[in-house]
Amino acid sequence: MQQCADERPIVVIGGGIAGMAAASTLCNAGYAVTLLERKDRLGGVIETVDDGPYRLEMGPFSYLPKAALLPQLAAMWGVAGALCEADPAVARNRFVLKGTTIHRLPLGPKDFLRSPLLRVHEKLRLLLEPWAKGPPPEEETIAAFVQRRAGRGVLENLIQPFVSGVVAGDAGQLSVSALFPRFVELERAHGSLLRAFQRLRGSMARSTLFSFRGGMETLARGFVATTRAHVVTGADVLALRPRPDGVTVVWRDASGEQIADARAAVLAPPAPAAATLLRPLAPAAAALLQSIPYAPLVMMHTVVDHDQLTSAVRGFGFLATRGSAPPLLGSIWASSIFPERAPPDEVLMTWFAGGMLYPEAIAWEDHRLQRAVRDVAVRTLGMRGDVRRWWIRRYPQAIPQYFLGHRARIAQIEASVRALGPMALAGNYLTGVSVDDAAQSGVHAAAAVMQVLEPIAQSKTGRRVLSRDQVGPAAYPTNDPRVARR
């Protein structure tokens, strides 16, 4: 790490995973960093609540083995030793609620042939996937892509529940190239998804889940404990004023109005908040940011005794086909995946309602949501008696939706922001909605502003300030064998 000659800070706005990853990347490269967060805590949507013997995730529940950056951040922030892995046999034991019955998600060809999730003609249609029509010239929705390649049965009984579980979205509205570009790449490279999966079977990530013994918010706690950034919580950013050699950032915190003369700025709040900040500077970009829709979501945690359930709760949980359990999208069996989240004689489950399929659920009163959960728990898990504990949290703007044209809109927004000077955007509304995607966006935003600043520093000092290996995840040392090396 080299110390940068210009001691003015780079200001990072937003203390979620994207902002923390951006701040770490910049600090790692030798820059002074000020991190501004509107709330009184860091982590953004990542929030773990301990209530007596129960550990509740109020945001993302876990992350997948394919995550490239999160294990490196965990090592950098001193919390790699707190990583925990779910039992793979539990993590891959997943279910789909179709009608009134929960069906195990098929894991292989034999399971698939026996599964009642698809009717015979729907299975035959899927087997014809290698001979499906090629892609049209225009951008496709996920629904159009899947129906073209595998048929309506696969779309309705497998893919739409999956989309509901990942982004709380409607497959008929979302861009497949923006949200699941890997599917498009596999079709282009192999001509068939079935053929691609067959060829790549040995290289695909194993089916398990990772979290931390103290919950996902362990990441934020680790960042706070180790960061060299100056962190200000309760900071409401009021204005950005780009200048030829930097950005003036104005905010209000507990001490009153503050002004920072910054070398650059990374904007890492959700899209609506970024739109508010950019509206006076780039109204067209702000309008595009404001137009990105977010799915509303209701999250409910329940606790029951083991002996209240006649069906064993061993697995990840279930996702519901459209219309099977409105307004519920599915349930995660939290204490089955990570048993320490509840006492051994109790079952902790997390339920999700609303999304783009049932947006009206965000306005439902608690008793109506509770009745919907009880009804599904009775008919699918044989629940007797009532739920012992409830926690309900509503998120009017939970997950960004990548509608058709999303990638073009993002390209236009980012070009407008680059034209303003040393500024960049980060967040899960850009190129991926997962926690790892959001963290990667923070690294990319940090790299973008450093690329702008480096020629300025060279012109003033006549020397290179940053080496290429100081930018991004490759600079994060770790001995964790699960970290993907690049």
Side-chain angles (χ1 to χ4, degrees):
M1 181 183 72
Q2 296 178 0
Q3 189 66 37
C4 299
D6 189 336
E7 295 183 356
R8 291 179 301 159
I10 296 175
V11 172
V12 177
I13 300 169
I17 190 65
M20 292 188 295
S24 285
T25 303
L26 293 165
C27 288
N28 203 44
Y31 288 92
V33 176
T34 295
L35 175 61
L36 304 177
E37 166 54 42
R38 182 177 57 84
K39 297 178 181 177
D40 61 0
R41 49 171 287 276
L42 300 188
V45 298
I46 299 175
E47 182 182 1
T48 305
V49 172
D50 287 337
D51 188 342
Y54 310 110
R55 177 156 290 152
L56 314 171
E57 294 290 6
M58 296 300 182
F61 180 77
S62 59
Y63 69 89
L64 296 170
K66 68 178 182 179
L69 181 56
L70 290 184
Q72 299 185 59
L73 292 177
M76 185 179 178
W77 298 342
V79 295
L83 280 167
C84 60
E85 179 180 354
D87 180 347
V90 172
R92 65 172 173 260
N93 199 29
R94 300 173 182 231
F95 299 86
V96 173
L97 173 61
K98 180 181 180 181
T100 60
T101 307
I102 281 185
H103 303 280
R104 190 169 185 266
L105 191 67
L107 297 178
K110 290 183 180 179
D111 286 346
F112 164 75
L113 290 173
R114 290 194 294 260
S115 174
L117 273 172
L118 298 180
R119 290 174 286 186
V120 173
H121 74 275
E122 293 168 337
K123 295 175 184 178
L124 293 174
R125 172 64 181 84
L126 175 57
L127 293 175
L128 293 174
E129 188 272 339
W131 296 275
K133 294 195 318 188
E138 69 275 5
E139 184 180 12
E140 284 185 289
T141 64
I142 295 172
F145 177 88
V146 173
Q147 193 163 341
R148 172 174 61 82
R149 295 226 57 94
R152 179 174 290 276
V154 170
L155 169 65
E156 293 178 347
N157 298 301
L158 298 175
I159 300 303
Q160 178 56 62
F162 171 72
V163 171
S164 294
V166 173
V167 295
D170 182 344
Q173 297 176 315
L174 298 168
S175 165
V176 67
S177 58
L179 193 59
F180 300 129
R182 180 68 169 154
F183 288 172
V184 178
E185 293 165 5
L186 290 175
E187 180 186 34
R188 186 181 302 118
H190 300 273
S192 161
L193 297 185
L194 289 182
R195 194 178 299 130
F197 293 148
Q198 185 81 15
R199 292 171 180 170
L200 300 173
R201 198 171 193 180
S203 62
M204 296 177 72
R206 59 201 177 102
S207 180
T208 188
L209 296 167
F210 292 104
S211 183
F212 299 87
R213 287 192 294 274
M216 287 293 288
E217 197 174 339
T218 300
L219 276 169
R221 298 186 194 109
F223 171 84
V224 170
T226 60
T227 186
R228 296 189 302 273
H230 173 54
V231 177
V232 183
T233 56
D236 186 15
V237 179
L238 305 176
L240 301 173
R241 297 170 188 157
R243 305 183 321 277
D245 66 339
V247 183
T248 299
V249 182
V250 183
W251 76 89
R252 181 180 294 111
D253 58 27
S255 300
E257 189 168 299
Q258 312 291 331
I259 299 178
D261 176 17
R263 298 187 69 191
V266 173
L267 278 63
T276 299
L277 292 173
L278 290 173
R279 190 167 291 115
L281 309 173
L288 288 173
L289 279 167
Q290 195 69 53
S291 73
I292 296 173
Y294 277 68
L297 197 64
V298 183
M299 180 182 292
M300 294 167 280
H301 301 279
T302 62
V303 171
V304 298
D305 291 332
H306 264 294
D307 58 13
Q308 288 183 252
L309 305 178
T310 58
S311 297
V313 177
R314 178 174 169 77
F316 180 84
F318 73 86
L319 296 170
T321 60
R322 187 195 297 253
S324 290
L328 299 182
L329 303 176
S331 174
I332 293 175
W333 299 340
S335 59
S336 172
I337 303 166
F338 298 118
E340 68 280 359
R341 301 289 171 93
D345 58 343
E346 298 177 351
V347 178
L348 172 64
M349 292 180 280
T350 304
W351 306 77
F352 301 92
M356 300 302 282
L357 296 186
Y358 315 111
E360 67 280 359
I362 196 73
W364 282 22
E365 294 181 353
D366 286 0
H367 69 86
R368 193 176 176 190
L369 292 164
Q370 291 169 332
R371 183 168 65 246
V373 168
R374 286 192 199 96
D375 289 347
V376 172
V378 168
R379 64 184 168 94
T380 60
L381 302 175
M383 186 181 79
R384 298 181 296 245
D386 205 352
V387 173
R388 294 184 52 244
R389 290 288 304 273
W390 287 93
W391 297 262
I392 300 177
R393 179 88 62 96
R394 292 170 175 81
Y395 300 91
Q397 293 181 309
I399 304 173
Q401 303 294 294
Y402 293 9
F403 282 11
L404 292 177
H406 180 80
R407 292 196 301 177
R409 284 189 291 274
I410 294 303
Q412 188 175 343
I413 292 166
E414 291 186 322
S416 297
V417 171
R418 281 196 301 271
L420 295 174
M423 295 172 57
L425 300 172
N428 68 347
Y429 62 87
L430 293 170
T431 58
V433 300
S434 74
V435 178
D436 196 70
D437 290 331
Q440 293 275 9
S441 78
V443 171
H444 295 156
V449 297
M450 287 191 282
Q451 287 167 4
V452 173
L453 295 176
E454 185 176 343
I456 297 173
Q458 281 186 269
S459 68
K460 291 181 178 179
T461 66
R463 63 184 176 85
R464 184 172 178 81
V465 176
L466 296 172
S467 61
R468 186 178 298 273
D469 66 359
Q470 286 177 300
V471 179
Y476 299 157
T478 174
N479 296 317
D480 192 323
R482 288 170 288 190
V483 173
R485 298 288 184 182
R486 293 188 174 185

